[in-house]
Amino acid sequence: MADGLDRLWTPHRMTYISGEDRPEGGYEQPSGCPFCLAPGRPHEESLVVARGEHVFVVLNLYPYNPGHLLVCPYRHVADYTDLDEPETVELAAFTQTAMRVVRKVSNAHGFNLGMNQGGVAGAGIAAHLHQHVVPRWGGDANFMPVIGRTKVLPQLLSDTRDLFVRAWPS
């Protein structure tokens, strides 16, 4: 290598960056929305961790950090103000449970919680509301994302999912 740098290849990210896995009609309709489709897929494919009456929790397919979860309503709504009261209450409760489970499984020191409302606000899938639960640890942002524009994830998503499923309260 001419520059003397080591390379850490993360080819799975190109699918996201290029939009290669984006359905032809986009995410606007439930038929092309991964959050609408995930609960109906086998657990080996869906990455769903927990299911409630109004919301479910799924691992982010393109996580910012290991254990990055999304809390999603089953209903295909885009805006937080479109949730009804039972959906809002369960979304909040599942977010709290997600934090407890991540702390138990991976000893997270803190969290970033948030919803990006609309494409201009950074929502990759703006048509279906989802709450991010991103675990953080002291020193977790090293040179890789800053210099190498690469995130190192030390565990397979399926292994992370299995740990969370076992730890999620029944």
Side-chain angles (χ1 to χ4, degrees):
M1 308 242 175
D3 58 13
L5 297 174
D6 290 330
R7 299 294 190 263
L8 179 63
W9 300 106
T10 57
H12 68 281
R13 293 286 302 164
M14 278 313 296
T15 301
Y16 177 71
I17 293 166
S18 69
E20 204 175 294
D21 62 348
R22 186 177 304 251
E24 195 169 307
Y27 301 125
E28 298 303 314
Q29 299 302 315
S31 61
C33 174
F35 300 137
C36 290
L37 299 173
R41 292 198 166 121
H43 78 269
E44 301 84 19
E45 298 172 24
S46 73
L47 299 176
V48 172
V49 170
R51 299 167 191 266
E53 185 177 340
H54 305 287
V55 304
F56 65 96
V57 178
V58 63
L59 280 167
N60 190 330
L61 188 57
Y62 305 105
Y64 300 139
N65 266 349
H68 180 168
L69 296 169
L70 303 171
V71 183
C72 308
Y74 290 107
R75 201 162 55 95
H76 189 82
V77 297
D79 198 87
Y80 186 66
T81 61
D82 293 334
L83 293 178
D84 61 27
E85 186 174 345
E87 289 168 326
T88 304
V89 169
E90 193 171 70
L91 187 131
F94 268 59
T95 299
Q96 290 176 324
T97 301
M99 292 173 65
R100 289 181 187 109
V101 168
V102 172
R103 277 191 187 114
K104 180 179 179 180
V105 169
S106 61
N107 197 30
H109 300 151
F111 292 89
N112 290 113
L113 303 176
M115 295 180 204
N116 300 326
Q117 296 283 266
V120 298
I125 300 175
H128 195 132
L129 174 83
H130 50 284
Q131 164 105 329
H132 291 262
V133 179
V134 183
R136 300 299 306 268
W137 295 268
D140 68 5
N142 59 24
F143 72 94
M144 291 299 292
V146 176
I147 305 297
R149 299 191 50 83
T150 301
K151 188 69 180 182
V152 178
L153 298 171
Q155 191 172 52
L156 294 172
L157 287 173
S158 58
D159 293 344
T160 304
R161 180 203 170 273
D162 291 345
L163 286 170
F164 287 168
V165 167
R166 285 193 298 270
W168 201 273
S170 307

